[in-house]
Amino acid sequence: FSGVLSEEVLWVLLELQETLATTTAWAPRAGREVTLSDVCYAPLNPTRPGVGDCCVTSVTQYFQNNRTHLAMTATQTHGKRNGTADWRDHLIYCV
């Protein structure tokens, strides 16, 4: 895994998404600050969406946009061989 599917890029993407989720902007017509929740697509909660309801299409969604999930590892045994499964294995399994 390299290029756009490197671990470093995934960490930066998560950081960018967290920044965007907390960004606000002044909307003169509305006379108030607006957030991602005001403009996002939230099909499961369209009337009063929170940031967690916004539909996000990103490779980091395979880890629920969660740093802890991206960092997780697990011991895996295949026959007599032991190994460690990490984010790469999770991504391959999901895709």
Side-chain angles (χ1 to χ4, degrees):
F1 289 84
S2 63
V4 296
L5 278 180
S6 69
E7 186 174 11
E8 294 80 22
V9 169
L10 293 177
W11 285 109
V12 171
L13 284 173
L14 276 173
E15 184 178 330
L16 175 61
Q17 285 178 213
E18 290 169 357
T19 300
L20 291 174
T22 59
T23 299
T24 62
W26 179 254
R29 283 187 158 167
R32 66 181 181 90
E33 295 247 325
V34 294
T35 66
L36 178 62
S37 300
D38 295 310
V39 297
C40 77
Y41 175 60
L44 299 179
N45 188 8
T47 55
R48 294 184 54 105
V51 172
D53 297 315
C54 296
C55 184
V56 175
T57 303
S58 170
V59 68
T60 58
Q61 187 58 43
Y62 288 111
F63 309 97
Q64 291 78 43
N65 298 315
N66 183 303
R67 293 171 178 267
T68 303
H69 293 174
L70 179 59
M72 288 175 78
T73 61
T75 303
Q76 190 172 16
T77 303
H78 183 71
K80 294 183 178 187
R81 294 177 47 180
N82 292 325
T84 302
D86 63 6
W87 67 273
R88 295 171 194 89
D89 301 289
H90 181 75
L91 188 62
I92 288 170
Y93 177 78
C94 289
V95 173

